[in-house]
Amino acid sequence: MKKIFVFSVVLGALLLCGCSAKPEGYDSVKKAKELFEELDSARVIMEDISAGARLMEFSFYINENNEMIFSYLGISADGEERCYSNGAEFYYKTADSEEWEVIGPADENYYYNIYTREYRYPYARGSIFFLDGTSVETASVIEERDQTVIVYSYDPDKLNSYAVGLLDNVSSFSELTASYVIDENGYITEFTEQGTVTDANGKKSSVDLRIIVDNMNEIYEIEAPVDKTDKENSVSVS
């Protein structure tokens, strides 16, 4: 069974809560998603639960000019992909590239690759935490000493009734469970997403992800992976 690793970002951005009755804990999760987009800094880690492997690490902070400074590392079977922004330039290196490429002010798509407090990089947006209040089949809310754990099991038939048309090459959902760990301040510190989807060719793919958020509002500097020599040798995309 093939695994897919970007499910929460894609699906979370597409599915919204409708007008049906809200499941228990829904308002807490919705508020936590909103609080995530108010953070000045954080580190976001994505893991493959079953393989025990790290898939992604993203760290950011927003400076006094409301520019988002960040570093991204994505790990896959093809190798490592890296991105870095100093707030004025966007650098990236693909798995099959030895040199950094840079998008600067003179490039055509410059403004789509420079991020701010308002225009946040995808992994700094609340959409990484999937939530659909219209399709929850069962809900569990456990209050602990300094955190709340909310678990939703989604009804695949309700998801399939409209979500499939929004996703490329997805025929149906067989199952989907999401868990949200919310700390005493209302922030999501851990999110897991597990389930199965079937593509248009009848092939099943598993979703088995954990997202961890830490160092919230505690990052004030990010070391640039692009040193002076790399910058001089980087290739402009213009």
Side-chain angles (χ1 to χ4, degrees), residues 9 22 24 34 111 115 126 170 173 190 217 220 228:
V9 176
K22 299 175 184 176
E24 185 181 6
E34 294 169 353
Y111 290 104
Y115 299 88
V170 174
F173 298 95
E190 185 174 320
N217 290 333
Y220 305 99
K228 183 177 180 181

Side-chain angles (χ1 to χ4, degrees), residues 15 25 29 37 50-51 79 82 88 107 119 131 134 136 158 161 200 217 226:
L15 300 185
V29 179
E37 296 202 357
S50 58
R82 293 181 178 272
D107 296 310
Y119 178 53
L131 176 64
T134 68
V136 174
K158 291 183 178 179
S161 66
N217 290 333
V226 189

Side-chain angles (χ1 to χ4, degrees), residues 97-127:
S97 174
E98 295 183 359
E99 295 184 338
W100 287 89
E101 296 192 66
V102 58
I103 298 175
D107 296 310
E108 181 180 358
N109 295 319
Y110 172 72
Y111 290 104
Y112 296 104
N113 292 279
I114 298 299
Y115 299 88
T116 65
R117 181 182 298 277
E118 293 76 21
Y119 178 53
R120 302 170 77 89
Y121 195 74
Y123 288 111
R125 300 174 189 170
S127 57

Side-chain angles (χ1 to χ4, degrees), residues 49-65:
I49 298 172
S50 58
R54 183 166 297 191
L55 303 174
M56 180 275 290
E57 182 171 334
F58 169 74
S59 297
F60 77 94
Y61 77 92
I62 297 171
N63 65 17
E64 63 276 7
N65 297 320

